[in-house]
Amino acid sequence: MSEQCQVDELRTLFLFEHLGDAQLETLCAEGRVETLPPGPLFSEGDPATCFYVLIDGELVMSGRTAGVDVQTHRTTQRGAYCGAWSAYVPNAEQTYTVSVRLVRPSRFFVLDAEKFARFMQNEFPMAVHLLAGHTLGSLRQQQILGQRARLLGLGTITAGLTHQLNNPAAAISRAVSGLWDSGAKLQRKLAMFTDGGFTAESVRALVTIQDDATKHVRTSPGHELSALESADREEQLSDWFDDHGITHGWDYAPTFVDAGLGVDWLDRVAQSVGARQLVGAVEWLKHTIDTQLHTREIAEASRRISALLADAKQYSQMDRGDYRYVDLHELLRSTLMVFNTSVGADGPIGLVTEWDPELPEILCYAGDLNQVWTNIIENAVEAMAGHGTLTIRTGYECENMIRVEIIDDGPGIDDDIIDRIFTPFFSTKPVGEGTGLGLDLAWRIVEKHAGSVSVQSKPGDTRFIVCLPLEAPGPENAAAEVPVVRPTSA
């Protein structure tokens, strides 16, 4: 329902209280007053066609993040404005930057975007130039910072993968070289079956033993022995070789120990072939086992590479939909993979994980949560400056919330800044080294999940505490009714 605009009523709105009579008369002539029903007024991303100023009523503003509307403001204040407020900015995309919903019937002063732009440009040309420059500059800054954040994230993943892939790739290269050498020696040993006096029966027995050894190496995992245990077993095998007149036993023993084959197995070989053929048989089996060990090493290295790539996929969520059930511990493990050059067995910073094995899968935006863990862990690693221990603990919080604590034993956060660390663009890093958006982004993602994030800090114990529901609000949910409150220190 439309009605005629009144200059005296416009003058009572704080937005227009300092305008002159001529300016107010121009606005009234160009605009109109409308009473609008409850419900959506306009949606983010739609073409910005009107500028609205609230006279009476109540509105809710929300912004869209990863498919979910998050409430940012709710007001009944007369003079509050929304809509095409930047229509006067040249060369800017004229779309609504937020969504607005009316809680109850509301009266607005409404001005078409083109008329609002013309009024601003005619009445306040210098202000328009300044505001236009500021608006376009802010948009450009956000684009640059977003690109830089993505490049930093890509660099982190690349560095972690490069370091981790180097080890299995080198292992494959060594194993292939050893495989060629063992294959060549096996070929040279083929002549012993005709020149070494082997009977058909002893050849069949040797082939059976060879098949058993091959199966044993292929199906059994690598034997993790201490240096002392390996030395003891090698000494036992060396003594056996000496007792049976086999020279170079000290060179053969490590192969049989690596394969998990001992004296009992060698006794079986001795019983299956004659004493004359024993040396050749042991040499043949040694080269056969070497071949299998190299093959197993290649298979294990290949599995390691596949696991690393799977972790990278899990981290970036390239292989799955964004909103789904996931194992929280898988997300944490895949994120820690990115930091393996600095945290854990391969890094200077120790890692302790205290994970509740009873936690169920949670319904969430998995890729976004990986960004939360990345930003918090990165801050912790930087705080510890190359030495210390990172602790990650999971468990249940009250009211069916899952609790994740990320703890470092660095110097702590000063009391005078701890309440500001979630503030956008706040950073303790030197200029040019930090965007100040990492923790703000983490907070926004957790808030999108209807969770909470807080921090507790003292020297030697800084912990970020993230609480998440078992099911995050889905993309189909409408804007939240609860006002957004930014977290402070716990």
Side-chain angles (χ1 to χ4, degrees):
M1 182 178 66
S2 297
E3 58 185 277
Q4 187 175 358
C5 174
Q6 301 294 327
V7 169
D8 290 340
E9 185 174 42
L10 283 192
R11 188 177 283 111
T12 65
L13 304 177
F14 76 86
L15 186 64
F16 302 134
E17 62 184 353
H18 296 298
L19 296 184
D21 290 341
Q23 292 172 318
L24 291 172
E25 289 172 1
T26 299
L27 287 175
C28 268
E30 297 282 359
R32 60 194 179 276
V33 173
E34 293 188 7
T35 299
L36 302 172
L41 180 61
F42 54 77
S43 298
E44 179 180 344
D46 289 346
T49 59
C50 293
F51 176 67
Y52 297 89
V53 182
L54 182 64
I55 299 175
D56 294 299
E58 184 174 6
L59 63 83
V60 173
M61 291 184 183
S62 62
R64 199 157 187 80
T65 304
V68 176
D69 281 329
V70 178
Q71 180 179 314
T72 58
H73 190 56
R74 184 170 187 157
T75 185
T76 59
Q77 184 177 17
R78 300 180 73 251
Y81 57 90
C82 59
W85 66 269
S86 60
Y88 54 82
V89 179
N91 303 320
E93 185 180 6
Q94 301 302 331
T95 58
Y96 293 120
T97 58
V98 297
S99 297
V100 171
R101 176 171 52 88
L102 303 183
V103 178
R104 52 190 171 88
S106 303
R107 291 178 69 237
F108 284 90
F109 170 71
V110 183
L111 195 60
D112 291 341
E114 298 84 356
K115 296 177 179 179
F116 174 57
R118 186 168 58 250
F119 175 82
M120 291 292 293
Q121 291 163 356
N122 291 338
E123 300 294 334
F124 311 104
M126 181 177 177
V128 165
H129 283 303
L130 293 174
L131 290 171
H134 174 74
T135 302
L136 294 175
S138 296
L139 291 173
R140 179 58 179 162
Q141 182 184 37
Q142 289 291 339
Q143 291 173 349
I144 294 173
L145 290 175
Q147 292 170 354
R148 184 171 185 267
R150 287 190 290 271
L151 289 174
L152 288 173
L154 178 61
T156 301
I157 296 175
T158 302
L161 277 177
T162 300
H163 175 79
Q164 285 287 47
L165 290 174
N166 182 64
N167 291 334
I172 289 175
S173 179
R174 290 193 303 268
V176 168
S177 177
L179 196 58
W180 284 337
D181 185 57
S182 297
K185 290 178 179 178
L186 276 175
Q187 290 175 348
R188 290 195 294 270
K189 284 294 178 182
L190 282 174
M192 77 177 185
F193 289 112
T194 56
D195 300 339
F198 279 80
T199 65
E201 182 179 357
S202 62
V203 169
R204 284 194 294 271
L206 184 59
V207 170
T208 300
I209 294 172
Q210 179 187 38
D211 289 343
D212 290 345
T214 297
K215 182 178 180 181
H216 179 79
V217 173
R218 286 181 177 177
T219 58
S220 64
H223 290 264
E224 295 293 336
L225 302 175
S226 67
L228 183 59
E229 290 173 330
S230 294
D232 288 342
R233 296 193 183 188
E234 289 177 13
E235 185 176 358
Q236 293 173 5
L237 291 174
S238 295
D239 291 342
W240 190 95
F241 290 135
D242 291 342
D243 293 342
H244 290 76
I246 299 175
T247 58
H248 304 295
W250 55 269
D251 189 35
Y252 296 168
T255 293
F256 291 97
V257 170
D258 287 345
L261 302 173
V263 170
D264 293 343
W265 189 82
L266 289 173
D267 286 338
R268 180 186 167 197
V269 175
Q271 293 169 4
S272 300
V273 299
R276 180 184 172 192
Q277 292 83 29
L278 181 59
V279 173
V282 169
E283 289 181 349
W284 173 266
L285 291 172
K286 190 264 184 187
H287 297 318
T288 298
I289 294 170
D290 273 339
T291 300
Q292 295 303 315
L293 289 174
H294 292 315
T295 302
R296 186 175 72 184
E297 188 176 0
I298 291 172
E300 290 175 350
S302 298
R303 282 194 295 269
R304 176 60 180 154
I305 290 174
S306 296
L308 286 169
L309 294 177
D311 282 345
K313 279 187 175 182
Q314 172 73 19
Y315 177 78
S316 63
Q317 294 299 301
M318 290 186 294
D319 62 341
R320 62 178 62 192
D322 195 33
Y323 180 72
R324 61 179 297 154
Y325 282 99
V326 297
D327 183 339
L328 182 68
H329 296 145
E330 285 186 7
L331 297 184
L332 289 166
R333 276 191 290 267
S334 66
T335 303
L336 286 169
M337 179 273 298
V338 178
F339 293 93
N340 53 36
T341 58
S342 54
V343 176
D346 296 333
I349 294 174
L351 175 64
V352 175
T353 56
E354 300 174 4
W355 292 352
D356 185 345
E358 302 300 322
L359 289 187
E361 290 188 338
I362 64 173
L363 184 59
C364 66
Y365 299 89
D368 285 353
L369 284 185
N370 276 340
Q371 189 65 56
V372 173
W373 315 137
T374 298
N375 292 357
I376 295 177
I377 292 173
E378 185 175 42
N379 275 10
V381 169
E382 291 177 353
M384 289 184 283
H387 62 276
T389 300
L390 179 72
T391 301
I392 301 180
R393 182 180 298 127
T394 64
Y396 270 115
E397 185 74 359
C398 60
E399 299 180 358
N400 284 329
M401 297 284 279
I402 286 179
R403 179 184 178 101
V404 179
E405 294 186 17
I406 300 176
I407 309 164
D408 71 73
D409 56 4
I413 304 173
D414 293 339
D415 291 340
D416 58 343
I417 66 170
I418 193 169
D419 289 334
R420 301 166 58 200
I421 62 173
F422 293 103
T423 303
F425 302 105
F426 176 77
S427 176
T428 59
K429 299 176 184 177
V431 176
E433 294 186 14
T435 63
L437 294 174
L439 293 179
D440 169 68
L441 178 60
W443 174 81
R444 290 181 180 277
I445 292 171
V446 173
E447 192 278 335
K448 181 180 75 175
H449 283 75
S452 65
V453 58
S454 59
V455 60
Q456 301 172 354
S457 185
K458 61 183 179 181
D461 185 355
T462 295
R463 59 188 64 201
F464 282 83
I465 302 166
V466 177
C467 292
L468 297 167
L470 296 180
E471 294 188 1
E476 73 279 4
N477 287 3
E481 295 292 336
V482 180
V484 175
V485 179
R486 186 169 295 279
T488 59
S489 58

